[in-house]
Amino acid sequence: MSEPSVRVDSWLWAVRVYKTRSAATTACRAGHVRIGGEKAKAAQAVRVGDELRVRIAGFDRILVVRQLLTKRVGAPVAALAAEDRTPPREPVAQLAVRDRGAGRPTKRERREIDRLRGRDALSGPGDESDS
């Protein structure tokens, strides 16, 4: 007897990775879904224990199938059906952008710029020690 399986696009939709099943199908066609390192077609079967790599917004999510679902379920049930093994992302610092010709930054804006660039104003002028 064969192992139970579900279509990969249907499973991704059911566990709330994509908002619609057609979005999951499109992602499979575009090569954004991989099962065991191989590109997956939308109708490809997924089984319990399979590892899926799903590229969303330029980042890969690594999901392991724990439960087969064919219907869309609530978020708590979806969290149990898929084990997320995605490594945590490092935060990306955003640099302050000023419009050209906007004049000099205010003192508050300079502090914010220094904080974003990692130059906290902990040491003021003249605080440097001579070694």
Side-chain angles (χ1 to χ4, degrees):
M1 190 167 177
S2 66
E3 252 184 88
S5 62
V6 177
R7 286 175 56 117
V8 68
D9 62 341
S10 178
W11 187 82
L12 288 169
W13 166 74
V15 296
R16 300 175 164 263
V17 175
Y18 291 101
K19 285 187 178 185
T20 64
R21 184 167 167 196
S22 61
T25 304
T26 304
C28 290
R29 285 192 188 135
H32 297 301
V33 179
R34 294 177 176 268
I35 299 176
E38 300 292 323
K39 289 184 181 179
K41 292 186 177 180
Q44 189 168 338
V46 67
R47 293 171 177 76
V48 173
D50 284 349
E51 181 180 274
L52 279 71
R53 286 186 177 265
V54 183
R55 180 160 286 255
I56 298 174
F59 295 99
D60 281 352
R61 283 187 66 189
I62 302 168
L63 302 170
V64 177
V65 180
R66 291 285 166 230
Q67 183 182 355
L68 297 178
L69 300 173
T70 54
K71 300 288 183 186
R72 194 163 171 97
V73 293
V77 178
L80 296 174
E83 179 186 340
D84 195 353
R85 292 189 181 170
T86 308
R89 286 191 241 168
E90 293 184 20
V92 179
Q94 295 180 347
L95 294 178
V97 178
R98 291 185 55 79
D99 293 332
R100 194 165 176 85
R104 293 183 54 170
T106 63
K107 190 170 186 177
R108 171 188 248 169
E109 290 170 337
R110 284 197 311 271
R111 286 184 187 138
E112 289 174 1
I113 291 169
D114 287 343
R115 188 171 28 86
L116 285 171
R117 290 185 177 162
R119 297 183 295 209
D120 289 339
L122 296 177
S123 59
D127 287 350
E128 298 176 16
S129 61
D130 294 19
S131 299

